[in-house]
């Protein structure tokens, strides 16, 4: 354990941001599930590769240092993949 009050404070900031991110992910997932329900009503597929590609490209263009487009793509690919997995499971229920 590091005995440094500044590091402890900064880690507290990281923890608070992580909790905010978690709330935003939950909010995003709530909307994803609503979209999934609508797709099911219309007989549409859960996965829309063109939309996902546009999203990742758009977000990648917004990357600013120290983030780069590759980091943004990797982060959001993981997020979108997990949301799609949950959406698929939800639509099947």
């Amino acid at each position: 354990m590091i005995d440094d009050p500044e590091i402890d404070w900064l880690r507290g900031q990281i923890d608070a941001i992580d909790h905010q991110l978690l709330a935003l992910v939950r909010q995003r997932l709530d909307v994803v599930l609503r979209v999934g329900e609508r797709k099911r009503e219309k007989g549409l597929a859960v996965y829309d590769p063109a939309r996902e590609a546009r999203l990742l490209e758009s977000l990648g263009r917004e990357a600013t240092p120290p983030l780069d487009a590759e980091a943004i793509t990797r982060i959001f690919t993981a997020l979108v993949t997990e949301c799609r997995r949950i959406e698929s499971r939800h639509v099947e229920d």
Side-chain angles (χ1 to χ4, degrees):
M1 174 164 240
I2 299 172
D3 184 22
D4 186 317
E6 184 174 357
I7 289 175
D8 290 341
W9 182 83
L10 290 168
R11 286 181 172 164
Q13 295 296 302
I14 291 169
D15 292 347
I17 292 166
D18 287 345
H19 288 283
Q20 291 172 353
L21 287 169
L22 181 58
L24 289 170
V25 168
R26 178 56 204 222
Q27 184 179 350
R28 184 188 197 282
L29 186 54
D30 288 343
V31 175
V32 165
L33 294 178
R34 288 175 51 201
V35 169
E37 290 169 5
R38 187 72 176 158
K39 286 179 180 177
R40 180 175 54 191
E41 291 170 5
K42 298 217 168 249
L44 301 171
V46 167
Y47 182 48
D48 183 348
R51 166 148 170 68
E52 185 173 319
R54 286 190 309 271
L55 172 68
L56 295 174
E57 183 179 319
S58 171
L59 292 170
R61 283 193 307 267
E62 293 183 35
T64 58
L67 287 173
D68 57 25
E70 180 182 352
I72 295 294
T73 298
R74 291 169 58 119
I75 291 165
F76 278 90
T77 295
L79 177 61
V80 169
T81 299
E82 285 306 307
C83 285
R84 185 180 338 103
R85 181 186 65 81
I86 294 168
E87 178 186 2
S88 294
R89 189 178 66 209
H90 181 77
V91 167
E92 292 171 0
D93 290 345

